[in-house]
Coordinates of all heavy atoms in Angstrom, one line a residue:
Y1 N 24.1 49.4 -2.8 CA 23.2 48.5 -3.4 C 23.7 47.1 -3.5 O 24.9 46.8 -3.7 CB 22.9 49.0 -4.9 CG 22.4 50.4 -5.0 CD1 22.8 51.3 -5.9 CD2 21.4 50.9 -4.1 CE1 22.4 52.6 -6.0 CE2 20.9 52.2 -4.2 CZ 21.4 53.0 -5.2 OH 20.9 54.3 -5.3
R2 N 22.8 46.2 -3.3 CA 23.0 44.7 -3.5 C 22.2 44.3 -4.7 O 21.0 44.1 -4.7 CB 22.6 43.9 -2.3 CG 23.4 44.2 -1.0 CD 23.0 43.3 0.1 NE 23.7 43.7 1.3 CZ 23.2 43.5 2.5 NH1 22.0 42.9 2.7 NH2 23.9 43.9 3.6
W3 N 22.9 44.2 -5.9 CA 22.3 43.9 -7.1 C 21.8 42.5 -7.1 O 22.6 41.6 -6.8 CB 23.2 44.2 -8.3 CG 23.5 45.7 -8.4 CD1 24.7 46.3 -8.0 CD2 22.6 46.7 -8.8 NE1 24.6 47.6 -8.2 CE2 23.4 47.9 -8.6 CE3 21.3 46.8 -9.2 CZ2 22.8 49.2 -8.9 CZ3 20.8 48.0 -9.5 CH2 21.5 49.2 -9.4
Q4 N 20.6 42.3 -7.5 CA 20.0 40.9 -7.6 C 19.8 40.5 -9.0 O 19.8 39.3 -9.4 CB 18.6 40.9 -6.9 CG 18.8 41.2 -5.4 CD 17.5 41.5 -4.7 OE1 16.6 42.1 -5.3 NE2 17.3 41.2 -3.5
R5 N 19.6 41.5 -9.9 CA 19.3 41.2 -11.3 C 19.7 42.4 -12.1 O 19.3 43.6 -11.7 CB 17.9 40.8 -11.5 CG 17.5 40.5 -12.9 CD 16.0 40.1 -13.0 NE 15.7 39.8 -14.3 CZ 14.5 39.5 -14.7 NH1 13.5 39.4 -13.9 NH2 14.2 39.4 -16.0
Q6 N 20.4 42.3 -13.2 CA 20.6 43.3 -14.2 C 20.5 42.8 -15.6 O 21.2 41.8 -15.9 CB 22.0 43.9 -14.0 CG 22.2 44.6 -12.7 CD 23.7 45.1 -12.5 OE1 24.6 44.4 -12.7 NE2 23.8 46.4 -12.1
D7 N 19.6 43.3 -16.4 CA 19.3 42.8 -17.7 C 19.5 44.0 -18.7 O 18.9 45.1 -18.4 CB 17.9 42.2 -17.9 CG 17.7 41.0 -17.0 OD1 18.6 40.1 -17.1 OD2 16.7 40.9 -16.3
V8 N 20.2 43.8 -19.8 CA 20.3 44.8 -20.8 C 19.7 44.3 -22.1 O 19.9 43.1 -22.5 CB 21.8 45.1 -21.1 CG1 22.0 46.1 -22.2 CG2 22.5 45.7 -19.8
S9 N 18.8 45.1 -22.7 CA 18.2 44.8 -23.9 C 18.6 45.8 -25.0 O 18.6 47.0 -24.7 CB 16.7 44.8 -23.8 OG 16.2 43.8 -22.9
V10 N 18.9 45.4 -26.2 CA 19.2 46.3 -27.3 C 17.9 46.5 -28.0 O 17.3 45.6 -28.5 CB 20.3 45.7 -28.2 CG1 20.5 46.6 -29.4 CG2 21.6 45.5 -27.5
L11 N 17.4 47.8 -27.9 CA 16.1 48.1 -28.5 C 16.2 48.4 -30.0 O 15.3 48.2 -30.8 CB 15.5 49.2 -27.8 CG 15.3 49.1 -26.3 CD1 14.7 50.3 -25.6 CD2 14.5 47.8 -26.0
A12 N 17.3 48.9 -30.4 CA 17.6 49.3 -31.8 C 19.1 49.6 -31.9 O 19.8 49.7 -30.9 CB 16.8 50.6 -32.2
P13 N 19.6 49.6 -33.1 CA 21.0 50.0 -33.2 C 21.3 51.3 -32.5 O 20.7 52.3 -32.8 CB 21.3 50.1 -34.7 CG 20.2 49.2 -35.3 CD 19.0 49.4 -34.4
G14 N 22.2 51.3 -31.6 CA 22.5 52.5 -30.8 C 21.6 52.9 -29.7 O 21.7 53.9 -29.1
V15 N 20.7 52.0 -29.3 CA 19.8 52.2 -28.2 C 19.7 51.0 -27.3 O 19.4 49.9 -27.8 CB 18.3 52.6 -28.7 CG1 17.4 52.9 -27.5 CG2 18.3 53.8 -29.6
A16 N 20.0 51.1 -26.0 CA 19.9 50.0 -25.1 C 19.2 50.4 -23.8 O 19.2 51.6 -23.4 CB 21.3 49.6 -24.7
L17 N 18.6 49.4 -23.2 CA 17.8 49.6 -22.0 C 18.4 48.7 -20.9 O 18.5 47.5 -21.1 CB 16.3 49.3 -22.2 CG 15.4 49.3 -21.0 CD1 15.3 50.7 -20.4 CD2 14.1 48.7 -21.4
L18 N 18.7 49.2 -19.7 CA 19.1 48.5 -18.5 C 17.9 48.4 -17.6 O 17.3 49.5 -17.3 CB 20.3 49.1 -17.8 CG 20.5 48.6 -16.4 CD1 21.1 47.2 -16.5 CD2 21.5 49.5 -15.7
V19 N 17.5 47.2 -17.1 CA 16.5 47.0 -16.1 C 17.1 46.3 -15.0 O 17.7 45.2 -15.2 CB 15.3 46.3 -16.7 CG1 14.2 46.0 -15.6 CG2 14.7 47.0 -17.9
A20 N 17.0 46.8 -13.8 CA 17.7 46.2 -12.7 C 16.9 46.1 -11.4 O 16.0 46.9 -11.2 CB 19.0 46.9 -12.4
A21 N 17.2 45.1 -10.6 CA 16.5 45.0 -9.3 C 17.6 44.8 -8.2 O 18.6 44.2 -8.5 CB 15.6 43.8 -9.2
A22 N 17.4 45.5 -7.1 CA 18.4 45.4 -6.0 C 17.8 45.7 -4.7 O 16.6 45.9 -4.6 CB 19.5 46.5 -6.3
Q23 N 18.6 45.6 -3.7 CA 18.3 46.1 -2.3 C 19.2 47.2 -2.0 O 20.4 47.2 -2.2 CB 18.5 45.0 -1.3 CG 17.5 43.8 -1.4 CD 17.7 42.9 -0.2 OE1 18.8 42.7 0.3 NE2 16.7 42.2 0.2
S24 N 18.6 48.3 -1.5 CA 19.3 49.4 -1.0 C 19.5 49.2 0.5 O 18.5 49.1 1.2 CB 18.5 50.7 -1.3 OG 19.2 51.8 -0.8
V25 N 20.8 49.3 0.9 CA 21.1 49.0 2.3 C 21.8 50.2 2.9 O 22.8 50.7 2.3 CB 22.0 47.7 2.4 CG1 22.3 47.5 3.9 CG2 21.3 46.5 1.8
V26 N 21.3 50.7 4.0 CA 21.9 51.9 4.7 C 22.1 51.5 6.1 O 21.3 50.9 6.8 CB 20.9 53.1 4.6 CG1 21.5 54.2 5.4 CG2 20.6 53.4 3.2
T27 N 23.3 51.9 6.6 CA 23.6 51.7 8.0 C 23.9 53.0 8.6 O 24.7 53.8 8.1 CB 24.9 50.8 8.2 OG1 24.6 49.5 7.6 CG2 25.2 50.6 9.7
T28 N 23.2 53.4 9.7 CA 23.4 54.7 10.4 C 24.6 54.7 11.2 O 25.2 53.6 11.5 CB 22.1 55.0 11.2 OG1 22.1 54.1 12.3 CG2 20.9 54.9 10.4
T29 N 25.0 55.8 11.7 CA 26.2 56.0 12.6 C 26.0 55.2 13.9 O 26.9 54.9 14.6 CB 26.5 57.4 12.8 OG1 25.4 58.1 13.3 CG2 27.0 58.1 11.5
S30 N 24.7 55.0 14.3 CA 24.4 54.3 15.5 C 24.4 52.8 15.3 O 24.2 52.1 16.3 CB 23.1 54.8 16.1 OG 22.0 54.5 15.3
G31 N 24.6 52.4 14.1 CA 24.6 50.9 13.8 C 23.3 50.3 13.3 O 23.3 49.1 13.1
D32 N 22.2 51.1 13.3 CA 21.0 50.5 12.7 C 21.1 50.3 11.2 O 21.6 51.2 10.5 CB 19.8 51.5 13.0 CG 19.6 51.6 14.5 OD1 19.6 50.5 15.2 OD2 19.3 52.7 15.0
T33 N 20.6 49.2 10.7 CA 20.6 48.9 9.3 C 19.2 48.9 8.7 O 18.3 48.2 9.3 CB 21.4 47.6 9.0 OG1 22.7 47.7 9.5 CG2 21.4 47.3 7.5
F34 N 19.0 49.5 7.6 CA 17.7 49.5 6.9 C 17.9 49.0 5.5 O 18.8 49.4 4.9 CB 17.1 51.0 6.9 CG 16.9 51.5 8.3 CD1 17.9 52.3 8.9 CD2 15.7 51.3 9.0 CE1 17.7 52.8 10.2 CE2 15.5 51.9 10.2 CZ 16.5 52.6 10.8
T35 N 16.9 48.2 5.1 CA 17.0 47.6 3.7 C 15.6 47.9 3.0 O 14.6 47.7 3.6 CB 17.2 46.1 3.8 OG1 18.5 45.9 4.5 CG2 17.4 45.5 2.4
A36 N 15.7 48.3 1.8 CA 14.5 48.5 1.0 C 14.7 48.0 -0.4 O 15.9 48.1 -1.0 CB 14.2 50.0 1.0
P37 N 13.7 47.5 -1.1 CA 13.9 47.0 -2.5 C 14.1 48.2 -3.4 O 13.6 49.4 -3.1 CB 12.5 46.3 -2.8 CG 11.6 46.9 -1.8 CD 12.3 47.3 -0.6
L38 N 14.8 48.0 -4.5 CA 15.1 49.1 -5.4 C 14.9 48.5 -6.8 O 15.3 47.4 -7.2 CB 16.5 49.5 -5.2 CG 17.1 50.5 -6.3 CD1 16.5 51.9 -6.1 CD2 18.6 50.5 -6.2
A39 N 14.2 49.3 -7.7 CA 14.1 49.0 -9.1 C 14.7 50.2 -9.9 O 14.6 51.3 -9.5 CB 12.6 48.8 -9.5
Q40 N 15.4 49.8 -11.0 CA 16.1 50.9 -11.8 C 15.9 50.6 -13.2 O 16.0 49.4 -13.7 CB 17.6 50.9 -11.4 CG 18.4 52.0 -12.1 CD 19.8 52.0 -11.8 OE1 20.4 50.9 -11.6 NE2 20.4 53.1 -11.6
T41 N 15.7 51.7 -14.0 CA 15.8 51.6 -15.5 C 16.7 52.7 -16.0 O 16.7 53.8 -15.4 CB 14.4 51.7 -16.1 OG1 13.8 52.9 -15.7 CG2 13.5 50.5 -15.8
V42 N 17.5 52.4 -17.0 CA 18.4 53.4 -17.6 C 18.3 53.2 -19.1 O 18.4 52.1 -19.6 CB 19.8 53.2 -17.1 CG1 20.7 54.3 -17.7 CG2 19.9 53.3 -15.6
V43 N 18.1 54.3 -19.9 CA 18.1 54.2 -21.3 C 19.4 54.9 -21.8 O 19.8 56.0 -21.4 CB 16.9 55.0 -21.9 CG1 16.9 55.0 -23.4 CG2 15.6 54.4 -21.4
F44 N 20.1 54.1 -22.7 CA 21.4 54.6 -23.2 C 21.2 54.8 -24.7 O 20.5 54.0 -25.4 CB 22.5 53.5 -23.0 CG 22.9 53.2 -21.6 CD1 22.2 52.3 -20.9 CD2 23.9 53.9 -21.0 CE1 22.5 52.0 -19.6 CE2 24.2 53.6 -19.7 CZ 23.6 52.7 -19.0
V45 N 21.9 55.8 -25.3 CA 22.0 55.9 -26.7 C 23.5 56.1 -27.1 O 24.3 56.6 -26.3 CB 21.2 57.1 -27.3 CG1 19.7 56.9 -27.1 CG2 21.7 58.4 -26.7
L46 N 23.8 55.6 -28.3 CA 25.2 55.8 -28.8 C 25.3 57.0 -29.6 O 24.6 57.2 -30.6 CB 25.5 54.5 -29.7 CG 26.9 54.4 -30.2 CD1 27.9 54.4 -29.0 CD2 27.1 53.2 -31.0
R47 N 26.1 58.0 -29.1 CA 26.2 59.3 -29.8 C 27.7 59.6 -30.0 O 28.5 59.6 -29.0 CB 25.6 60.4 -29.0 CG 24.1 60.4 -29.0 CD 23.5 61.7 -28.6 NE 22.1 61.6 -28.6 CZ 21.3 62.2 -27.8 NH1 21.8 62.9 -26.8 NH2 20.0 62.0 -27.8
D48 N 28.1 59.8 -31.2 CA 29.5 60.1 -31.5 C 30.5 59.1 -31.0 O 31.6 59.4 -30.4 CB 29.9 61.5 -31.1 CG 29.0 62.6 -31.7 OD1 28.7 62.5 -32.9 OD2 28.7 63.6 -31.0
G49 N 30.1 57.8 -31.0 CA 31.0 56.7 -30.5 C 31.0 56.5 -29.0 O 31.7 55.6 -28.6
D50 N 30.2 57.2 -28.3 CA 30.1 57.1 -26.8 C 28.7 56.8 -26.4 O 27.7 57.3 -26.9 CB 30.6 58.3 -26.1 CG 32.0 58.6 -26.3 OD1 32.9 57.7 -26.2 OD2 32.4 59.8 -26.5
W51 N 28.5 55.9 -25.4 CA 27.2 55.6 -24.8 C 26.9 56.7 -23.8 O 27.6 57.0 -22.9 CB 27.2 54.2 -24.2 CG 27.2 53.1 -25.2 CD1 28.3 52.4 -25.6 CD2 26.1 52.6 -25.9 NE1 27.9 51.5 -26.5 CE2 26.5 51.6 -26.7 CE3 24.7 53.0 -25.9 CZ2 25.7 50.9 -27.6 CZ3 23.9 52.3 -26.8 CH2 24.4 51.2 -27.6
K52 N 25.7 57.3 -24.0 CA 25.2 58.3 -23.1 C 23.9 57.9 -22.5 O 23.1 57.3 -23.1 CB 24.9 59.6 -23.9 CG 26.1 60.1 -24.8 CD 27.2 60.7 -23.9 CE 28.3 61.2 -24.8 NZ 29.4 61.8 -24.1
V53 N 23.7 58.3 -21.2 CA 22.4 58.1 -20.5 C 21.5 59.2 -20.9 O 21.8 60.4 -20.7 CB 22.6 58.0 -19.0 CG1 21.3 57.9 -18.3 CG2 23.5 56.8 -18.6
I54 N 20.3 58.9 -21.5 CA 19.4 59.9 -21.8 C 18.2 59.9 -20.8 O 17.4 60.9 -20.8 CB 18.9 59.9 -23.2 CG1 18.1 58.6 -23.5 CG2 20.0 60.1 -24.2 CD1 17.4 58.6 -24.8
H55 N 18.0 58.8 -20.1 CA 16.9 58.8 -19.1 C 17.3 57.7 -18.0 O 17.8 56.7 -18.4 CB 15.6 58.4 -19.7 CG 14.5 58.3 -18.7 ND1 13.9 59.4 -18.2 CD2 13.9 57.3 -18.1 CE1 12.9 59.1 -17.3 NE2 12.9 57.7 -17.3
A56 N 17.0 58.0 -16.8 CA 17.2 57.1 -15.7 C 16.1 57.3 -14.6 O 15.6 58.4 -14.4 CB 18.6 57.3 -15.0
H57 N 15.7 56.1 -14.0 CA 14.7 56.2 -13.0 C 15.0 55.1 -12.0 O 15.3 54.0 -12.3 CB 13.3 55.9 -13.6 CG 12.2 55.8 -12.6 ND1 11.7 57.0 -12.1 CD2 11.6 54.8 -12.1 CE1 10.8 56.6 -11.2 NE2 10.7 55.3 -11.2
Q58 N 14.8 55.5 -10.7 CA 14.9 54.5 -9.6 C 13.6 54.7 -8.7 O 13.1 55.8 -8.6 CB 16.1 54.8 -8.7 CG 17.4 54.4 -9.4 CD 18.6 54.6 -8.4 OE1 18.4 55.3 -7.4 NE2 19.7 54.0 -8.7
S59 N 13.2 53.6 -8.2 CA 12.0 53.6 -7.3 C 12.2 52.5 -6.3 O 12.9 51.5 -6.5 CB 10.7 53.6 -8.0 OG 10.6 52.4 -8.8
S60 N 11.4 52.6 -5.3 CA 11.3 51.5 -4.2 C 10.0 50.9 -4.3 O 9.0 51.4 -3.7 CB 11.6 52.1 -2.9 OG 12.9 52.5 -2.8
P61 N 9.8 49.8 -5.0 CA 8.5 49.1 -5.1 C 8.2 48.5 -3.8 O 9.0 48.2 -2.9 CB 8.7 48.0 -6.2 CG 10.2 47.8 -6.2 CD 10.9 49.1 -5.8
Q62 N 6.9 48.3 -3.6 CA 6.4 47.7 -2.3 C 6.8 46.3 -2.2 O 6.9 45.6 -3.2 CB 4.9 47.8 -2.3 CG 4.3 49.2 -2.2 CD 2.8 49.1 -2.1 OE1 2.1 48.1 -2.1 NE2 2.2 50.3 -1.9
R63 N 7.2 45.9 -1.0 CA 7.6 44.5 -0.8 C 6.3 43.6 -0.9 O 5.2 44.0 -0.6 CB 8.1 44.4 0.6 CG 9.4 45.1 0.8 CD 9.9 45.0 2.2 NE 11.0 45.9 2.4 CZ 11.8 45.9 3.4 NH1 11.7 45.0 4.3 NH2 12.8 46.7 3.5
R64 N 6.6 42.4 -1.4 CA 5.5 41.5 -1.6 C 5.4 40.5 -0.4 O 6.3 40.2 0.2 CB 5.7 40.7 -2.9 CG 5.6 41.6 -4.1 CD 5.8 40.7 -5.3 NE 5.8 41.6 -6.5 CZ 5.0 41.5 -7.5 NH1 4.2 40.5 -7.5 NH2 5.0 42.3 -8.5

């Protein structure tokens, strides 16, 4: 991934949201390279002193 933007918002004490945008880059064994946009969201909660991921989602939005 080539991260272009990563924003973290605290939604409540012990709850945080990561929203990110990136490019997913893959190079095949024959040397061809493919690039696609990537959007990601991750929800974290603080449990017993540790941050845990309770939900994550990635998708490839259409190029504009």
